[in-house]
Amino acid sequence: MTDAEVAVEPLEPLPEDWDTGLVLVPHPDDIEYGGAAAIARWTGQGKKISYVLVTSGEAGIDGMPPEEAGPLREREQRESARIVGVDDVEFLGYPDGVIEYGLPLRRDISRVIRRYRPEIVITGNFRETYGGVFLNQADHIAVGRAVLDGVRDAGNRWVFRELLDEGLEPWNGVRAVWAGASPDGRHGVDTTDTFDLGVESLRAHAAYLEGLGEDMPDPAEFLEGFARQAGTRMGCRFAAGFEVFQLKFD
């Protein structure tokens, strides 16, 4: 299949017959780059969605020391989540920028999955690039890989047995992991009605966006470009694309 054929391939609609979801990403603002509009759609349907951030994004503002940036970015993330209907926001406290894939991260993700017991887990793109043009960031790659493994670990009582001592029984209820903004995404969701909420959610990261400098485009313009591309593939105005990793087959 050529690149041109991939670009125009229609996106298959994501299923929406689920009630509980968990967003697991490395940094504050990760889900806001396109995914927050989808979250707003789903919370508007009455779905319960929670956020777990592996770091506090403390290394993300060049002109601000991490000890100041971390608490600020946590506050911005909580407000950003509130805008799209998410009340539960948790930070795991891993160091921003130097996350390593490995057993500690898998265990902590497994612990989170067992506590929240979601049907759908949402993470970000963890492929090497964004469509072969822009290199992905190391934290995104490490966390995405660990999410896939941690979800499966959560269902096996003999992996990370110490979680049983914490009273956390295995959870095999995750139906799928959805990775947003993946260049291999073949599924999507119509975000036309909630696009503006997604923009507002990104704008809530005001200090972070200011720290990116004047070259950073306006959030509405930036998000609209990607949302229109996905929308064209879904036959609607705006959409968000996802790569689906199916864990259960009905």
Side-chain angles (χ1 to χ4, degrees):
M1 182 177 290
T2 68
D3 290 342
E5 289 171 327
V6 171
V8 298
E9 180 184 358
L11 294 175
E12 181 179 340
L14 288 167
E16 295 186 318
D17 59 339
W18 50 277
D19 298 312
T20 56
L22 177 65
V23 172
L24 256 167
V25 292
H27 316 109
D29 84 273
D30 281 346
I31 192 63
E32 280 70 49
Y33 279 97
I39 301 300
R41 171 187 171 100
W42 293 323
T43 58
Q45 295 170 347
K47 303 184 192 305
K48 172 66 174 177
I49 299 179
S50 302
Y51 284 5
V52 173
L53 292 298
V54 176
T55 80
S56 298
E58 69 275 8
I61 303 177
D62 183 67
M64 186 179 295
E67 57 271 19
E68 296 178 20
L72 172 60
R73 298 203 67 197
E74 287 187 6
R75 291 194 297 272
E76 290 188 338
Q77 181 61 74
R78 294 186 194 281
E79 172 60 16
S80 178
R82 183 199 63 78
I83 290 168
V84 294
V86 174
D87 298 321
D88 297 331
V89 181
E90 179 179 348
F91 300 87
L92 297 185
Y94 276 71
D96 184 15
V98 291
I99 300 173
E100 293 183 305
Y101 173 88
L103 293 178
L105 182 58
R106 280 174 51 189
R107 181 190 59 240
D108 288 345
I109 287 174
S110 178
R111 178 184 288 114
V112 164
I113 297 295
R114 292 190 189 195
R115 284 200 290 109
Y116 284 93
R117 305 175 85 79
E119 296 170 76
I120 299 296
V121 172
I122 299 161
T123 191
N125 172 36
F126 55 92
R127 300 299 186 183
E128 295 294 323
T129 69
Y130 288 89
V133 179
F134 299 106
L135 287 174
N136 203 348
Q137 198 260 1
D139 285 355
H140 298 165
I141 297 170
V143 169
R145 288 180 55 208
V147 166
L148 278 186
D149 291 332
V151 165
R152 289 174 292 184
D153 295 334
N156 188 331
R157 73 173 56 251
W158 307 124
V159 176
F160 305 127
R161 288 188 235 181
E162 60 269 34
L163 298 182
L164 296 174
D165 296 333
E166 298 175 18
L168 296 173
E169 289 294 319
W171 174 246
N172 274 306
V174 177
R175 293 167 49 180
V177 175
W178 296 347
S182 169
D184 294 332
R186 300 291 181 266
H187 291 73
V189 58
D190 185 342
T191 58
T192 303
D193 293 337
T194 53
F195 175 78
D196 289 342
L197 284 173
V199 172
E200 186 181 351
S201 184
L202 178 56
R203 288 193 192 280
H205 295 275
Y208 173 72
L209 293 175
E210 182 179 358
L212 294 177
E214 297 180 355
D215 291 338
M216 178 62 191
D218 177 76
E221 295 177 3
F222 183 84
L223 293 178
E224 183 173 335
F226 293 104
R228 282 192 182 278
Q229 290 177 26
T232 297
R233 297 175 64 186
M234 286 204 74
C236 59
R237 185 181 180 194
F238 296 134
F242 292 84
E243 183 176 4
V244 171
F245 299 87
Q246 201 74 27
L247 298 174
K248 288 183 176 293
F249 297 88
D250 299 328

